[in-house]
Amino acid sequence: MSHADILAASGLSKSDTTGGTLAVRTPVDGSEIARLKVHGAAEADAMIARAHGAFLAWRKVPAPRRGEFVRLLGEELRRQKQALGALVTLECGKILQEGLGEVQEMIDICDFAVGLSRQLYGLTIASERPGHAMRETWHPMGVCGVITAFNFPVAPWCWNAALALVCGDPVIWKPSEKTPLTALAVQKICEKVRAGFGDDAPEGLTQVLIGDRELGEALTANPKVAIVSATGSVPMGRAVAADMSKRLGRTILELGGNNAMIVAPSADLEMALRAIVFSAVGTAGQRCTSLRRLIVQEDVYDALMPRLIKAYEGLPIGDPLAGGTLVGPLIDSQAMVAMDAALETAKSQGGSVHGGGRALADSHPAAAYVRPAIVEMPSQSSIMHRETFAPILYVVKYRALDDAIAMQNAVPQGLSSCIFSTDVRETEHFLSAAGSDCGIANVNIGPSGAEIGGAFGGEKETGGGRESGSDAWKGYMRRQTNTINYSRELPLAQGIRFDI
Amino acid sequence: MSHADILAASGLSKSDTTGGTLAVRTPVDGSEIARLKVHGAAEADAMIARAHGAFLAWRKVPAPRRGEFVRLLGEELRRQKQALGALVTLECGKILQEGLGEVQEMIDICDFAVGLSRQLYGLTIASERPGHAMRETWHPMGVCGVITAFNFPVAPWCWNAALALVCGDPVIWKPSEKTPLTALAVQKICEKVRAGFGDDAPEGLTQVLIGDRELGEALTANPKVAIVSATGSVPMGRAVAADMSKRLGRTILELGGNNAMIVAPSADLEMALRAIVFSAVGTAGQRCTSLRRLIVQEDVYDALMPRLIKAYEGLPIGDPLAGGTLVGPLIDSQAMVAMDAALETAKSQGGSVHGGGRALADSHPAAAYVRPAIVEMPSQSSIMHRETFAPILYVVKYRALDDAIAMQNAVPQGLSSCIFSTDVRETEHFLSAAGSDCGIANVNIGPSGAEIGGAFGGEKETGGGRESGSDAWKGYMRRQTNTINYSRELPLAQGIRFDI
Amino acid sequence: MSHADILAASGLSKSDTTGGTLAVRTPVDGSEIARLKVHGAAEADAMIARAHGAFLAWRKVPAPRRGEFVRLLGEELRRQKQALGALVTLECGKILQEGLGEVQEMIDICDFAVGLSRQLYGLTIASERPGHAMRETWHPMGVCGVITAFNFPVAPWCWNAALALVCGDPVIWKPSEKTPLTALAVQKICEKVRAGFGDDAPEGLTQVLIGDRELGEALTANPKVAIVSATGSVPMGRAVAADMSKRLGRTILELGGNNAMIVAPSADLEMALRAIVFSAVGTAGQRCTSLRRLIVQEDVYDALMPRLIKAYEGLPIGDPLAGGTLVGPLIDSQAMVAMDAALETAKSQGGSVHGGGRALADSHPAAAYVRPAIVEMPSQSSIMHRETFAPILYVVKYRALDDAIAMQNAVPQGLSSCIFSTDVRETEHFLSAAGSDCGIANVNIGPSGAEIGGAFGGEKETGGGRESGSDAWKGYMRRQTNTINYSRELPLAQGIRFDI
Amino acid sequence: MSHADILAASGLSKSDTTGGTLAVRTPVDGSEIARLKVHGAAEADAMIARAHGAFLAWRKVPAPRRGEFVRLLGEELRRQKQALGALVTLECGKILQEGLGEVQEMIDICDFAVGLSRQLYGLTIASERPGHAMRETWHPMGVCGVITAFNFPVAPWCWNAALALVCGDPVIWKPSEKTPLTALAVQKICEKVRAGFGDDAPEGLTQVLIGDRELGEALTANPKVAIVSATGSVPMGRAVAADMSKRLGRTILELGGNNAMIVAPSADLEMALRAIVFSAVGTAGQRCTSLRRLIVQEDVYDALMPRLIKAYEGLPIGDPLAGGTLVGPLIDSQAMVAMDAALETAKSQGGSVHGGGRALADSHPAAAYVRPAIVEMPSQSSIMHRETFAPILYVVKYRALDDAIAMQNAVPQGLSSCIFSTDVRETEHFLSAAGSDCGIANVNIGPSGAEIGGAFGGEKETGGGRESGSDAWKGYMRRQTNTINYSRELPLAQGIRFDI
């Protein structure tokens, strides 16, 4: 399939993809595949106004009916899974299996949200006063701005949007300026669903803002945007948080990760090996949950490392749309430069590098293919405290498990983590209050590839937000505590007397 | 009881209350009752370091054992209820009934937290992969800084501390510089409990920071303070939020309220009258949940207002320690000035003022006693959008309920609200997604005086935090999502294939 | 559409519906529409063995994958809604709108169950011992037998089956011998879904037992049937409970209702009128939630009753497949006899009867059409304590609300109830601990027509079971409490010392 | 302390313990320590009537206030812990450490129930209809009968009573006729609490029925007893279930256990050894959770068994009130006879017996002291499928874990189970849907000694009830599903149209 065919299959017309100023290049070969019109701040405000109008109507639509909208969205995504998955690959460079996986994640969260639409459970609560009923209910919150990053161009939007829509909140999406096409394609799907839904799905229920950082600021600045959910870098997240703190608005932040795996002596090394490669190299190391640090017990270090280096050497690098490829390109040449710089720094800190360096330069001169790198480090030095969005895997040794956990927790990020061990004392300790400080902590699987049923996110510089499963939906609603006095008395709480 | 006796009964010794630079005056008569040593930034950092050390130990103490600490705290508070209640009254000026009520609230939340200590429920979750178990657990978060305001000098600390301690988090308390004595007295209670508890309650579990705003900044600046829970004004909250956003730290903000009551035609006016007076005049109008805006349906306006004005005229103003007093002093003369200014502004916006003005000037020249004021307003003008911490009650008329709700929601704050109506269609509409936008919405009781079983807080400029009951405890813990693979396979989520 | 066409559209072939001994007659005109083969006890045991084998496999299929089966079932039901709805009407006589509603309920519960399939939440729990983790998980329970009644031939099966399947339990369905065709049609749908699903849906996942009461006994007697969920009469439920008590097996019982509406002085009489008619006359009064007792405040009695009697007189009685019909036939002539007998008894107890008696005897001599009856009773006499499965509405007066509630609660059944009142004091009192003792208590809607999001069922002779929404799914799983010691110590709970 | 002193310290007076017909003997030396008056069926009915009257009042007392009653009960139990613990030991023969542990368990559940008293959470639920609110609330259920067994004379009552009282249900206790004194002592504590509580704790809130099985039948027969919670043997449970099925009443059954431990090759054998001894020999093997079956992997069998046999040989048998004793007497000589018979049967099935036989016959001729027995069995024969209430531990070997699990699950009981293994794959498999079928499944601790925070109970012949922690409180309340229509429309669920 040609790139043009992929665009067409996604429902994007010529007029959608031409005539603008924002050049979209595919990392597959670096070629320009579209040139989009961008929105300005005034258009952003108009969209927000439209979304707020939609909110006033949508909040009154019963939640199960809102769920029906999301169910239909999931059905349409099922229908368009192949096309949209290919577009994801074309636009962000992840291999097709992962592009399809991302669409599947959208579908899964839609199914989950449909179930939520008959729950959105608040509580009835025992009151201390006779003739009083107490309860807590959850109500729609308002317009939800969603800022997404290039590496997961569509799934995080859907984590947010499926929940937000069921919760009664219209969504305005500002995708990465590197991956706006997938956003447009998804918006077309939404509009198709809306067209078939009925009058109670208002105009402006889902919208897309195309452009750069200033549009993000348009969202954070406008008090009609009740929630800003942002996925991306720590500096971006800090900026969003600072802006929102001015108006005491709500944020859901999913920022950087610096994810480690501890390999214990009792680990199944064959499984660990496969998990390492997938989680360090998948999406060319550009997942927020990519494995970046490998902390290996010294007794198994020599058994593991040669096999790992060998596995890396055999990795098929190439066109992510082609079957068999496991490593696609980086998003752009800046990413390649950053990777090189990190490897240089690592070397200067004593690191011994395996792999790394540009690949396919001849066949794909305008693209940023690289060879994934393993760096054996003498200790966890400063470079390992940073997140470099590239397939670099730092490896250090440990002796005692608590040292490994301390290393794992020593970085400023707090997203994902895992241990490979078959010893239940080790695994439960790793999951305990004294174990990993990450929002995600796994046993005998890698740090990436979460199921949608759990809450996704982490503390520290990861930003503290939670998306997707569990009760992440509460982030899209406002909580209201009610006390209803149905008696003819007026007793005060805490037994206070106040008689006028 | 003399003021000195009240101090002594609270366990505060001469050396506790003399020799420092921070003058503490009682609003009862404006006299100085203590002069406290203040802490500097370096001392704050030392305290934080001690608290963090305590955290590393306390997080490993089983939660039910942590609950035992809080149970004993509750028992000690029961024992010292009278003494502490009187000190509350002495230091912040609320009437003794309310001082005792505040201590009762501390006791109640301790009981609640003890129950939580065998819950702190996470979830086990159905995994999509065979041989995998998924769950979500809640772990201690770290040191919790608690900033409180003068008007509730002790209860909000306990809302935070009882939960934080059970959740595994040591607490550093920065009370208002206007009410530091109650904090010291409570800290003595804590130390007594700790002394009797056993070695597993580490030094530094609870601490008090005496001083001004800079100490609050010491808390927000130090990354070892994982959570800052702050109660107070909107500008204070904004500052805390801005500081914490720099390091992506967690906040729990309980800021301003501008709370309204809607009186519908079907209301029981006798009950409404009593509720209005208590919630507008209690704590001399200095509760964050004080009733500030009365929105009365035009058909019952004339039946209600004369009775209300008459009730105000008969309110006993005086020494809050004396039996029979219902209105004590404002916290200080600045508050009186602010009240006067607000009343002037209200007049300039068309308001007709009943009451207001200084009281007891002769007998209490150094204190700030005022007569509560009712201001009949022609419409909800700008002064009504502001929170003035004083007993001013603005009154406006409405015709249709949706207009009343729109007025109620038009202010920037979102804390508390209520409706007096016996019509279930009205009351449920008021509690619905299209009703009050406040965190608290009551029926046939006033906006103040929440039970501890519900979550307390609100959206918009109120800051979005929740304290006290329901699942507010989650604000003191970190959530961890776990996937455990106990199979010998390594399937990927979303059905992705990635075979090396 | 002819009756044969309806059968054919439902996917039932000639060989499905002929050649057996069980005659199936449509209440529409009393004609025989099928003659089915019945199963014997040995076949039942073979089915149970097959189901148990399916259980051993199905319990290991991840719950979200089991949810996918139920999602596909829901999709197939959407496709066949018209056909299946018509078959429901043909077989049990309810009007087509209600037949379609029943299928919609199946669809709704499938959607809900899909959402559950990524939840099935257990708890992680704070342990009192260091180095210990505590949790509660929910596991598949075993084969679930489902016994259903003629009046809801398909929805209750689906309430049970959608949950049971997601929970990991195969289902064996014993429909009423009066409505086996709908069961066969649904089973065909299930088999179609299974065929398209993949190998992990085992043979025997859903099965249908055709025959009489003895087959129900085959289910209750066989210890491989872990759960028997039965909908029907109180005597049937008692028999099931007695049988299951012998082997301490689990039951879910949905038995009789004797549902009342209280009409208070503040009621919207127009709405009450419509609600009364629908809930008393819908399904020809043969719902377990049908309105049977109307308790009217004396001050509004005269305003309500003439309008109600008039509305009854105008009710279109006739072929339930025809548009416009609101009252279809009773299930059979025995039901008509029972109705007549009840009316006679009511008269003997002082009742004044409006309506009642056979209808359409000429045009439909073999069918059991009746005119719905209203019986004004001097007081709540013994006939009103009994559930007669027919459109009889007893009416009594009350003076004070507590008297009305006492009457409402005085009957042995405890299923559904409601109040029409606009007074929030009355409505909340009705819903309080001192109010209705029914499992369902509504305000300003009738007692029938529950949404699937809430739990359905009631206490007393209604049997105590809960189906459908909320956490009714727990009835299909077993709870397991786990304590995991990952320390190297062995502390005992409650601080017990036992040193060997 | 003499036996008389123990009675006196428990607050039992001469008139309490003399003058009746029921002889109470202490298993410590077989002497008669009291002769109690017994109740007849008429007295039981009078008590039930009184309890029902108490229910009508207590259900309206706010739950947090009911919690205060239970808090005070816990405080009083703290005060009387030593005295009551000694009485437990005197009356049932368990060692003093265990007697005290049982009282501690009472205290713990009181603390837990106090926390619940501000929860008793129902749900607010998203409704499919505009202008409708849906929720689920939990209401007091009625009188709760509690039948307890001799081996845990007080804790199970408190598991039930603390929850029941908080839930609004008065309690009538029928203790074992072998241990009525502890019940009387606890009732005195309750009355003391009630006397100090205030008028809102009605007479009849807690009552004790002294006598035999017929009194249990008085509870099951009387429809005013809404719940019967029974702990004891399977035949007793079956009888209760059969009786209650006649009136479709609610039961909570905690019946027999036949609890196993699997010792895997990776187990910490030292820990396993200690856990085996405590759980097999504690309470002289008379716990429902006593370890009865040991399933040892063949590779570690020889390492474990000699140490276990040696440990048994050194067990101090003697007066349970004396310090140092680990094995007290059986409850009576019938228990000794049953133990001997079981050992004979085991021998006849190929078992090789270590230990067993009477002990201390000379010093305590009227008591039933025995030596705990280990029986090595060639396979799991029929005797191992039975629960013998005595310190007999059957041991069998296994090769593969799934065989061990199959053996573990092959018995009719389903209460408790555990595995000793450090291999997380084994431990998680054991806890999975394909693992243990018991209500309790532990890792690296024995099957007995549950914390009160988890739900206690099991499926199969164990009866299916759950007591103590988690949401076991729901067993004492009735669930009510509410839909409130606050609109002016009357839409039907499932989109049904029915226009009159």
Side-chain angles (χ1 to χ4, degrees), chain A residues 352-391:
Chain A
S352 163
V353 176
H354 307 265
R358 188 164 183 182
L360 310 185
D362 292 347
S363 60
H364 294 72
Y369 290 87
V370 296
R371 286 184 300 137
I374 293 171
V375 191
E376 294 180 275
M377 298 292 291
S379 68
Q380 183 165 283
S381 61
S382 64
I383 187 67
M384 289 180 67
H385 287 237
R386 269 191 264 146
E387 180 190 31
T388 303
F389 235 53

Side-chain angles (χ1 to χ4, degrees), chain C residues 382-417:
Chain C
S382 65
I383 186 69
M384 289 180 67
H385 287 237
R386 270 191 263 147
E387 179 190 32
T388 303
F389 236 52
I392 302 174
L393 179 66
Y394 303 103
V395 192
V396 288
K397 287 184 194 172
Y398 78 90
R399 178 180 291 273
L401 181 58
D402 276 333
D403 297 338
I405 291 173
M407 264 192 272
Q408 132 74 31
N409 291 347
V411 300
Q413 306 85 355
L415 184 51
S416 192
S417 61

Side-chain angles (χ1 to χ4, degrees), chain A residues 54-127:
Chain A
F55 169 66
L56 295 180
W58 191 239
R59 66 177 176 167
K60 289 198 253 181
V61 174
R65 176 79 181 137
R66 299 192 303 241
E68 177 67 5
F69 185 94
V70 173
R71 192 187 69 79
L72 294 171
L73 175 58
E75 290 303 294
E76 194 57 35
L77 287 167
R78 276 185 171 88
R79 257 174 240 122
Q80 304 202 22
K81 180 174 174 180
Q82 285 298 324
L84 185 57
L87 185 64
V88 166
T89 290
L90 179 66
E91 196 174 31
C92 83
K94 60 175 60 175
I95 63 171
L96 186 54
Q97 270 292 314
E98 295 187 82
L100 295 172
E102 212 181 323
V103 183
Q104 186 60 47
E105 211 161 330
M106 300 174 81
I107 295 167
D108 290 349
I109 194 74
C110 286
D111 287 355
F112 183 77
V114 173
L116 284 181
S117 75
R118 287 185 185 269
Q119 302 185 336
L120 302 179
Y121 293 142
L123 298 173
T124 65
I125 304 176
S127 167

Side-chain angles (χ1 to χ4, degrees), chain C residues 127 139 238 246 431 451, chain D residues 127 139 238 246 431 451 471:
Chain C
S127 167
H139 289 313
R238 259 197 253 273
K246 286 176 202 152
L431 302 180
E451 298 186 21
Chain D
S127 166
H139 289 314
R238 260 197 252 274
K246 285 176 202 153
L431 303 180
E451 298 186 19
D471 67 349

Side-chain angles (χ1 to χ4, degrees), chain C residues 143-149 156-157 159-161 164 171-174 219-220 225-232 236-237 240 244 247 250-255 456 465-468 475-476:
Chain C
V143 177
C144 178
V146 178
I147 297 173
T148 58
W157 172 81
W159 295 351
N160 283 281
V171 175
I172 299 180
W173 183 4
K174 195 221 149 297
L219 293 173
T220 55
V225 179
I227 309 159
V228 172
S229 176
T231 305
M236 181 281 296
V240 166
M244 294 297 276
R247 57 176 176 100
R250 190 186 293 179
T251 58
I252 301 172
L253 299 178
E254 304 288 345
L255 310 176
F456 183 91
R466 288 300 185 283
E467 290 170 338
S468 200
Y476 305 88

Side-chain angles (χ1 to χ4, degrees), chain C residues 409-424:
Chain C
N409 291 347
V411 300
Q413 306 85 355
L415 184 51
S416 192
S417 61
C418 64
I419 189 171
F420 268 75
S421 167
T422 58
D423 184 334
V424 70

